[in-house]
Amino acid sequence: MIKYFKMFLLYCTILCYIRQVNGYNIDLMTARKDIENLRKYLVSMNKNTKDSSDTDDTVLFSKLLDSWTEDGEKKLLLSQIVPMYLKMLDSMKSTELKDSITNLTQMLNSSYDDFMKQSDQKLKGLNEVKKIQLSDIKNQRAAIKELLRILRDISIMSQRKEKPKCKRENTRRRRGC
């Protein structure tokens, strides 16, 4: 049960990331209250089962969220995490927490539909790329034909990463960028 508690804490973090990245108007005060209700419920369930893992510092998604620094990367990661939370909330059966579960589910669903659905589709496309059989001669010819474009894209991306953050040369010199 403590895992659920930690999942809800991470859920709050995810809501913060979603709001920062896209500016959606998620009511974090309501979310915090609902998460606290669910957390208390799960702690009480944990006491009933006599599981002593209350002090467990297990994290599920925080390390990944911290290590994926680009907005696009986080969006892909969140597109996979949010459905997990939706399944978890759907599996929770508690009549006294029905309102909290409904509120959180609605927030997650609207965020997913408005913000992350395209990322999920892109990730599915990426998984299709992994399935391409490059031992096939036809696929090898096509891959070689596209190799220059791939190298060009990599070159452009690496140059972008090396560019200074200031746009004007004079501003950069004065401000120390």
Side-chain angles (χ1 to χ4, degrees):
M1 287 298 167
I2 195 68
K3 288 181 182 179
Y4 286 118
F5 164 72
K6 290 178 181 169
M7 290 173 85
F8 282 111
L9 290 178
L10 256 47
Y11 167 75
C12 188
T13 304
I14 290 170
L15 286 178
C16 291
Y17 277 115
I18 291 170
R19 187 170 184 193
Q20 286 175 352
V21 172
N22 207 26
Y24 281 96
N25 191 13
I26 294 173
D27 187 0
L28 291 179
M29 294 298 286
T30 303
R32 181 175 288 129
K33 182 186 74 168
D34 292 335
I35 290 168
E36 185 63 24
N37 289 342
L38 290 168
R39 187 193 65 75
K40 287 178 184 176
Y41 172 76
L42 292 171
V43 167
S44 71
M45 293 295 291
N46 191 33
K47 288 178 183 176
N48 291 341
T49 60
K50 297 179 183 175
D51 183 10
S52 62
S53 61
D54 229 3
T55 59
D56 191 12
D57 290 335
T58 305
V59 292
L60 298 175
F61 307 117
S62 293
K63 284 185 181 182
L64 281 172
L65 285 169
D66 291 342
S67 66
W68 293 33
T69 56
E70 303 281 329
D71 285 348
E73 293 174 344
K74 286 189 187 266
K75 197 172 176 182
L76 280 173
L77 182 59
L78 291 171
S79 74
Q80 300 305 300
I81 293 173
V82 168
M84 295 170 70
Y85 277 106
L86 290 169
K87 286 180 186 175
M88 181 188 70
L89 289 171
D90 188 45
S91 70
M92 295 180 76
K93 309 289 187 227
S94 173
T95 55
E96 62 238 24
L97 297 173
K98 187 174 184 170
D99 291 338
S100 294
I101 291 171
T102 302
N103 288 341
L104 293 171
T105 301
Q106 288 174 348
M107 285 184 214
L108 283 169
N109 272 324
S110 66
S111 298
Y112 182 79
D113 290 342
D114 296 342
F115 175 65
M116 290 173 270
K117 199 173 218 171
Q118 289 178 339
S119 294
D120 189 36
Q121 291 169 348
K122 288 178 184 178
L123 190 59
K124 288 177 183 172
L126 185 60
N127 287 330
E128 291 298 318
V129 168
K130 289 180 179 181
K131 294 178 183 176
I132 295 174
Q133 296 294 324
L134 289 179
S135 58
D136 180 18
I137 192 74
K138 183 177 177 183
N139 289 340
Q140 288 175 350
R141 284 196 310 258
I144 293 299
K145 183 178 173 183
E146 296 173 350
L147 183 57
L148 184 59
R149 178 183 179 185
I150 301 299
L151 291 172
R152 192 177 304 134
D153 287 349
I154 292 170
S155 175
I156 290 169
M157 288 173 56
S158 66
Q159 288 173 0
R160 271 191 225 147
K161 200 166 192 140
E162 294 171 3
K163 282 187 180 179
K165 293 182 181 177
C166 294
K167 291 184 179 178
R168 288 186 258 150
E169 187 70 28
N170 292 337
T171 306
R172 183 176 36 201
R173 286 187 190 139
R174 277 186 256 151
R175 293 187 185 160
C177 291

